[in-house]
Amino acid sequence: MSLDDQGRDGAELGEALTPERPALADPCADATGPGTYKGYTCGASFKFITAENISCQEARRKCTLKAEANPGTSFYCTWNDRLVYRKEITSGACNPLVCQTTSGTGTYRGYICGSHNFITTNNIPCQYALDNCALNAANNPSRSIFCTWNGIEIFREERLPGICNGLP
């Protein structure tokens, strides 16, 4: 187990996962007006579209349709730099794209899937959270790891497919 940014063993920081935990909110729930939609295929980090003056809901719909038309490809899409869609065929394929569209600091939460929350850290940059989560995954090669930053999934590496489903 890796240590968190304050030198504590993450396993000691855990809190039980419960069904009462709220799911992530609709990424377009509070989005208004036109914005910029960017869509990427993951793995090769290929940007397949940039569209201006589009609503968040339309960006999500377009990305979902593109992903459904290409079932063997991982996708990551943003609207005004917020994640609106993510689908991974290969676990972790989209992880490197997440922090490229963020700025500022936020709350990082890491989960050992099927077990517990191993870290919660406030006021850190997204890239730091992603790097720390990847380090924890590398140091725990037999465990599934899932991490969020400000409620956005930044990392997912499932050793047992589906074990991280239902996490915030």
Side-chain angles (χ1 to χ4, degrees):
M1 179 68 65
S2 293
L3 300 180
D4 70 9
D5 64 325
Q6 296 174 357
R8 298 176 297 206
D9 182 342
E12 296 175 6
L13 301 175
E15 65 185 42
L17 294 178
T18 64
E20 295 84 38
R21 284 204 149 151
L24 289 178
D26 174 0
C28 294
D30 64 346
T32 58
T36 301
Y37 159 50
K38 295 178 185 175
Y40 304 86
T41 56
C42 303
S45 298
F46 173 73
K47 186 188 307 181
F48 64 85
I49 191 169
T50 298
E52 301 289 334
N53 296 317
I54 189 170
S55 72
C56 182
Q57 293 79 7
E58 184 66 8
R60 183 173 169 85
R61 186 187 71 74
K62 286 180 178 285
C63 191
T64 302
L65 289 173
K66 183 79 167 177
E68 289 171 354
N70 296 277
T73 304
S74 297
F75 284 88
Y76 182 84
C77 298
T78 64
W79 178 82
N80 284 353
D81 296 332
R82 81 166 67 177
L83 174 68
V84 295
Y85 185 86
R86 178 177 177 157
K87 178 190 87 170
E88 293 184 328
I89 301 304
T90 303
S91 183
C94 297
N95 293 342
L97 294 172
V98 179
C99 292
Q100 292 176 15
T101 63
T102 65
S103 62
T105 61
T107 300
Y108 159 48
R109 297 183 198 287
Y111 302 90
I112 295 173
C113 302
S115 181
H116 67 280
N117 172 248
F118 69 86
I119 188 171
T120 298
T121 305
N122 296 316
N123 300 316
I124 65 167
C126 182
Q127 189 62 51
Y128 175 86
L130 177 60
D131 293 345
N132 183 265
C133 191
L135 176 65
N136 277 286
N139 289 336
N140 292 278
S142 64
R143 292 184 156 174
S144 295
I145 304 286
F146 173 82
C147 297
T148 64
W149 181 81
N150 276 353
I152 298 169
E153 177 181 324
I154 59 169
F155 186 94
R156 177 185 297 262
E157 208 166 277
E158 293 182 299
R159 307 295 184 220
L160 178 60
I163 195 167
C164 297
N165 291 346
L167 289 175

